[in-house]
Amino acid sequence: MAEAGKTRFQINLRHFLRERDVDRNLTRVICEIADASKYIVNSIRTGDLGVAGTSNLYGEEQLALDVLSDRILRKRLAHSGVVANIVSEEQPEIVPLSPDCEGKFSVAYDPLDGSSLVDVNLAVGTIVSIYAGCDLLQPGCNQAAAMYILYGPRTTLVLSTGDGVHEFNMNQLMEYTLTRENIQVGASGSIYSPGGQRNKYTAGVRSFVEQLEARGSKLRYSGGFVPDINQVLMKGKGIFFYPHLNDTPEGKLRVLFELNPMAFLMEQAGGAASNGKSRILDMVPDNIDMRAPVFIGSKDEVALAERCIAEQG
Ligand code: F6P
Ligand code: MN
């Protein structure tokens, strides 16, 4: 229900969550992250584009912006008083923020996914996965909420608390207001975003791509996971994949920080997410740095990928 005197699309994030009866502590976590993103967007616009001189758990060189975004989020989450544990793609281990779990939430995040695209001025994003309690090594289907913030020509926040997927835009006052409610992804679509080098694709993945191309699917790939997923969600169709490759059977993308939150959002929008054999959200992570191949988007295309892989690997 819209507040008196306001149209539905002037509702801000906090009011929206209150209206949907979202847990107060969870609302707090989400709003802290939304607040942190205002500082992150400012760093992206004006900050240092150089390297930090350090590398992350995956041996990737950290940029000053990665480290800064990580610090901004960590500070906000620590200050919230309702977060038990956090783990970041830019940190080597789980960081405890509170000794007790009761009523608290734990958060896994990729502070600035695609950060190497900032110097060429392409879109990047923050990806967040939230669990009730202390445990961060759970299957993604247990997420209490998932969200991302996309720093493109506009700054948008896309969120699900298990009750559909909703988009908010940052306005001139740097507040997030609702712009789309109950986003839906159709069963089939004509856009595909293929990650990884094609000459390393397995026979099954090659056959999948050939079938998409034969149907006239259009290639739409930016190299940033957040904008590429956002395109599928907002156009309401298509598929993104970063498959297993001949020399890297585990693919590239990380289950805790990248795949689980996006899979949760895609399923909430009526789409699907698979590692080529089974549902991403059913995978039990054995470690914070676990990776998996991913096929995510319209249900029919995800099923086609699974069939091609079952037949040809
Ligand atoms: O961290 C992951 C990421 O930068 C994603 O944003 C993107 O989808 C992928 O890696 C691109 O991978 P590659 O560098 O192999 O093209
Ligand atoms: Mn990333």
Side-chain angles (χ1 to χ4, degrees):
M1 192 68 66
E3 282 183 17
K6 284 190 172 183
T7 72
R8 179 100 197 114
F9 292 105
Q10 285 173 317
I11 297 240
N12 73 29
L13 178 61
R14 190 179 298 276
H15 289 167
F16 178 86
L17 294 170
R18 193 182 301 149
E19 195 185 277
R20 294 216 169 203
D21 258 343
V22 173
D23 176 278
R24 277 187 60 183
N25 285 355
L26 180 56
T27 297
R28 183 86 201 265
V29 177
I30 293 168
C31 290
E32 289 290 351
I33 293 164
D35 279 346
S37 73
K38 299 174 190 174
Y39 295 89
I40 297 177
V41 79
N42 196 42
S43 315
I44 294 169
R45 285 188 184 140
T46 58
D48 176 4
L49 292 181
V51 296
T54 47
S55 53
N56 65 15
L57 191 55
Y58 312 91
E60 298 163 344
E61 188 168 63
Q62 286 176 309
L63 300 178
L65 278 178
D66 290 319
V67 173
L68 185 58
S69 309
D70 185 41
R71 203 175 296 155
I72 292 170
L73 275 162
R74 187 151 31 112
K75 271 201 158 174
R76 296 299 300 216
L77 293 172
H79 158 260
S80 75
V82 294
V83 175
N85 289 319
I86 57 170
V87 64
S88 157
E89 196 179 282
E90 301 302 334
Q91 293 287 329
E93 55 202 17
I94 293 175
V95 180
L97 293 181
S98 150
D100 68 300
C101 307
E102 192 55 36
K104 302 223 162 95
F105 289 85
S106 292
V107 184
Y109 60 90
D110 183 352
L112 198 58
D113 179 77
S115 53
S116 64
L117 299 172
V118 174
D119 66 348
V120 291
N121 212 3
L122 283 169
V124 295
T126 297
I127 313 173
V128 183
S129 168
I130 306 174
Y131 292 89
C134 283
D135 188 5
L136 281 162
L137 288 174
Q138 308 189 43
C141 57
N142 295 343
Q143 286 169 100
M147 64 199 274
Y148 62 79
I149 296 140
L150 172 56
Y151 311 105
R154 286 170 175 269
T155 303
T156 56
L157 183 155
V158 175
L159 166 77
S160 179
T161 56
D163 183 17
V165 180
H166 318 290
E167 183 204 51
F168 300 80
N169 260 261
M170 192 184 274
N171 66 17
Q172 287 166 328
L173 301 173
M174 293 193 104
E175 290 166 353
Y176 285 105
T177 56
L178 180 65
T179 38
R180 297 192 212 203
E181 212 171 353
N182 296 316
I183 291 158
Q184 290 293 316
V185 170
S188 178
S190 50
I191 294 172
Y192 75 110
S193 298
Q197 249 176 278
R198 193 157 173 162
N199 61 0
K200 295 182 178 174
Y201 284 1
T202 59
V205 176
R206 270 206 308 278
S207 153
F208 171 57
V209 174
E210 282 160 13
Q211 293 189 50
L212 293 178
E213 287 170 350
R215 294 171 173 187
S217 279
K218 283 191 182 164
L219 178 87
R220 290 282 186 274
Y221 185 69
S222 79
F225 189 43
V226 181
D228 286 334
I229 290 292
N230 190 64
Q231 172 164 250
V232 174
L233 279 170
M234 298 306 148
K235 297 287 185 200
K237 60 179 181 183
I239 183 159
F240 171 97
F241 53 98
Y242 201 113
H244 47 302
L245 301 173
N246 281 327
D247 59 354
T248 39
E250 71 286 9
K252 174 175 186 191
L253 298 176
R254 287 145 274 227
V255 175
L256 258 69
F257 310 108
E258 295 167 329
L259 301 187
N260 274 341
M262 292 309 198
F264 188 82
L265 289 162
M266 196 58 75
E267 286 199 2
Q268 281 289 319
S274 167
N275 59 18
K277 293 184 175 145
S278 61
R279 186 181 178 220
I280 293 280
L281 293 180
D282 285 337
M283 295 175 73
V284 184
D286 50 17
N287 219 315
I288 61 170
D289 58 358
M290 184 175 174
R291 300 178 193 247
V294 64
F295 301 81
I296 175 169
S298 290
K299 274 184 171 164
D300 292 355
E301 274 75 41
V302 174
L304 175 64
E306 284 184 338
R307 275 203 304 282
C308 292
I309 291 160
E311 283 161 15
Q312 299 181 60

